[in-house]
Amino acid sequence: MQQDKGEKSKRRTSAEKRIIQAEKKRQLNRAAKSRVHTSVRALLSSIQSKSLETASSNLDRVFSLLDKGLKTGLNRMKSKLSKRTNLLKTT
């Protein structure tokens, strides 16, 4: 349709393409990180309320989200959260 009007289509430079790709990736990473933090908060609240069933199901969900390859700073959470949940099992 643009060729009919005699207009040329504008091509993106590689730098513009990288900017667009980086923004998309940043938004995906931010959403994934938010999902992890929300599920961790739910897990911690279930641990504080001392409900073992909801804590173990929330722990499974947190592990699933962490295993999907999120940021490296979040990987250390697994052992800390599992220790807290296991303390409920012993008491």
Side-chain angles (χ1 to χ4, degrees):
M1 299 279 278
Q2 290 179 351
Q3 292 175 354
D4 294 339
K5 295 179 183 178
E7 297 176 9
K8 288 188 175 182
S9 63
K10 181 182 175 187
R11 293 181 52 102
R12 283 197 176 119
T13 63
S14 62
E16 290 171 336
K17 182 178 177 182
R18 291 302 300 159
I19 290 170
I20 292 169
Q21 288 176 338
E23 179 62 25
K24 285 181 185 178
K25 191 69 170 171
R26 185 188 70 82
Q27 289 176 356
L28 288 174
N29 286 336
R30 188 172 181 188
K33 203 170 181 181
S34 175
R35 279 193 300 271
V36 168
H37 288 301
T38 301
S39 61
V40 166
R41 269 188 249 116
L43 172 64
L44 293 177
S45 68
S46 63
I47 288 173
Q48 286 181 347
S49 66
K50 299 186 189 254
S51 59
L52 179 62
E53 294 174 3
T54 57
S56 59
S57 67
N58 285 339
L59 184 68
D60 291 339
R61 179 175 179 178
V62 170
F63 279 6
S64 172
L65 290 173
L66 287 173
D67 287 337
K68 287 183 180 177
L70 296 178
K71 302 275 183 189
T72 51
L74 299 175
N75 291 337
R76 293 184 182 170
M77 282 188 190
K78 287 178 74 172
S79 62
K80 291 178 183 179
L81 294 174
S82 62
K83 284 179 186 177
R84 287 186 181 182
T85 306
N86 288 334
L87 286 175
L88 281 179
K89 293 178 183 177
T90 59
T91 59

